[in-house]
Amino acid sequence: MEAEFAEKVVLVTGATSGIGRACALRFASAGARIVAVGRSEEALANLSKEVGAPSGKTLLLKSDLSLAEEAQRVVDQTIQQAGGID
């Protein structure tokens, strides 16, 4: 899995708990650039510490994706700041 995701941009929703958190951690360990989306700034900060990625390797976005405009904002911000989504 490591070679497959090295330097890829992976957007993970629900990244602060459960399956989303586990996915974010696994993709990060495989070398992917993570865009972690969650509703809690504190939980996102904790995830960032746990990922332990160098600065610029993880983008944290606080958002409530039940709102269509928030989902579009997350996609737009990911493209702008991370260069796209793989």
Side-chain angles (χ1 to χ4, degrees), residues 55-71:
S55 180
K57 207 58 173 155
T58 304
L59 174 61
L60 308 174
L61 300 177
K62 181 180 182 286
S63 183
D64 179 354
L65 293 180
S66 68
L67 306 170
E69 62 274 9
E70 284 291 296

Side-chain angles (χ1 to χ4, degrees), residues 19-59:
I19 294 170
R21 182 177 169 280
C23 288
L25 293 171
R26 181 64 181 111
F27 281 119
S29 74
R33 295 184 62 207
I34 302 300
V35 179
V37 182
R39 292 184 286 182
S40 165
E41 285 183 35
E42 182 180 346
L44 285 167
N46 289 337
L47 175 68
S48 180
K49 289 176 192 170
E50 191 167 351
V51 166
S55 180
K57 207 58 173 155
T58 304
L59 174 61

